[in-house]
């Protein structure tokens, strides 16, 4: 766990083996690198956990496994509970970010002096 992270990225995951690599790789490619990622597996029955475990050598990437299926909201809430970052960012397991997403979003938030922002 990276307890000095500025951003905690929460990614709920359920049977997303075909997509999760793209999501993780898009986080690893960020120009802003002071983050931690919490992938919360929601009882997947495919190879999602095996794929996430391939990234275990990066201490910023953390896997949590639910004992019961909680759904997307429940998985996000478990990730939020574990988060240590100043900011929370949500990344669905079947999405990917542009390489400068965090850098640009944080800069815009600081410039506008806001505590919450979102994008589509």
């Amino acid at each position: 766990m990276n307890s000095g992270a500025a951003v905690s990225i929460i990614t709920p995951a359920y049977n997303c083996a075909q997509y999760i690599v793209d999501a993780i790789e898009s986080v690893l490619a960020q120009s802003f690198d002071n983050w931690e990622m919490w992938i919360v597996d929601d009882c997947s029955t495919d190879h999602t956990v095996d794929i996430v475990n391939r990234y275990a050598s990066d201490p910023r990437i953390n896997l949590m496994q639910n004992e019961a299926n909680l759904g997307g909201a429940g998985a996000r809430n478990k990730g939020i509970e574990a988060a240590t970052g100043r900011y929370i960012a949500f990344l669905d397991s079947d999405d990917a970010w542009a390489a400068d997403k965090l850098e640009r979003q944080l800069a815009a938030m600081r410039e506008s002096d806001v505590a919450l922002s979102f994008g589509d």
Side-chain angles (χ1 to χ4, degrees), residues 31-92:
S31 55
F32 179 87
D33 65 1
N34 187 9
W35 52 262
E36 64 180 4
M37 184 176 195
W38 289 94
I39 301 170
V40 184
D41 182 72
D42 204 23
C43 301
S44 293
T45 58
D46 66 359
H47 298 289
T48 297
V49 170
D50 296 331
I51 292 168
V52 173
N53 279 329
R54 292 183 205 158
Y55 293 90
S57 63
D58 190 319
R60 300 172 298 176
I61 299 176
N62 305 279
L63 173 65
M64 298 173 66
Q65 292 180 265
N66 290 341
E67 293 181 14
N69 186 286
L70 302 176
R76 280 183 191 88
N77 287 339
K78 290 212 43 182
I80 290 168
E81 289 173 10
T84 64
R86 166 122 166 71
Y87 299 98
I88 302 286
F90 297 111
L91 174 63
D92 288 342

Side-chain angles (χ1 to χ4, degrees), residues 3-14:
S3 61
V7 178
S8 294
I9 303 161
I10 312 299
T11 302
Y14 178 73

